[in-house]
Amino acid sequence: MEKIRGKGRDVPEPQSPWDEISPGLWMGGHVWTDPAGELRPVVVADEFDLVISLFTRSGQGPGPDTEHLVALMPDAALTAGQLHTVRRLARAASGALDAGRTILVRCHSGYNRSGLVVAQCLMERGLAAADAIALVRRRRSPWALHNATFTAYLAAGLDVAARLTELDPLP
């Protein structure tokens, strides 16, 4: 099984291309490990109405008729601007859900960056941070949101985290 490097630990690639976190809201990545243990690319065609990508790889979709929002960001500490972008994307996902659309939020493995946006979307829809994080981990993987900085952002609230980040900007 292919593994990604986590902060001081090996993190297994996900066992599925994407998983439904709440009705209509899906979370995934660009790679997954099939039942035989082989690493496979995830190619999105037209399975979703809206795809939000925080990481992209050429040839992995979505198709030309799918709305695609792209906001590349690291799986590391974020700037205030990036935190505001996460909030904007979460609101876009929530609005799409209200309109009855299906949404995929994805990053490289579908754990951290996508988890941050999905959890924030769930919080916009009324869940507490701890409940949103738990739901993401239960539905996607226990490895989802293993980036402690991201869970701290969610616990503090993205607006507060952005204000604090502005006080001590990243180099």
Side-chain angles (χ1 to χ4, degrees):
M1 175 186 303
E2 180 77 14
K3 294 185 179 191
I4 57 176
R5 302 301 288 174
K7 303 225 189 259
R9 61 182 172 246
D10 287 335
V11 177
E13 291 292 357
Q15 303 283 308
S16 60
W18 49 66
D19 294 286
E20 192 170 28
I21 307 305
S22 69
L25 180 61
W26 296 73
M27 185 172 142
H30 281 72
V31 294
W32 72 290
T33 303
D34 70 16
E38 296 293 320
L39 190 65
R40 301 284 182 197
V42 176
V43 178
V44 178
D46 59 0
E47 298 89 347
F48 302 95
D49 299 312
L50 169 64
V51 174
I52 297 172
S53 296
L54 305 156
F55 169 92
T56 61
R57 187 174 278 163
S58 181
Q60 290 189 255
D65 295 329
T66 300
E67 183 181 0
H68 191 202
L69 302 177
V70 178
L72 303 179
M73 60 185 64
D75 185 0
L78 301 178
T79 65
Q82 289 167 327
L83 289 167
H84 291 304
T85 297
V86 168
R87 186 91 189 260
R88 181 181 54 80
L89 293 171
R91 286 181 175 158
S94 185
L97 286 172
D98 288 343
R101 301 174 74 203
T102 57
I103 300 95
L104 172 64
V105 181
R106 66 185 184 159
C107 56
H108 181 270
S109 293
Y111 285 156
N112 286 315
R113 291 167 280 188
S114 57
L116 180 62
V117 172
V118 167
Q120 180 62 38
C121 177
L122 295 168
M123 291 167 62
E124 298 279 342
R125 300 177 74 76
L127 282 184
D131 294 334
I133 293 165
L135 182 61
V136 164
R137 288 177 175 159
R138 188 168 57 252
R139 297 281 172 88
R140 176 66 175 156
S141 166
W143 290 103
L145 286 169
H146 66 269
N147 180 326
T149 301
F150 287 7
T151 57
Y153 290 154
L154 292 165
L158 293 187
D159 290 338
V160 170
R163 284 190 201 107
L164 292 172
T165 300
E166 289 169 340
L167 295 175
D168 186 22
L170 295 174

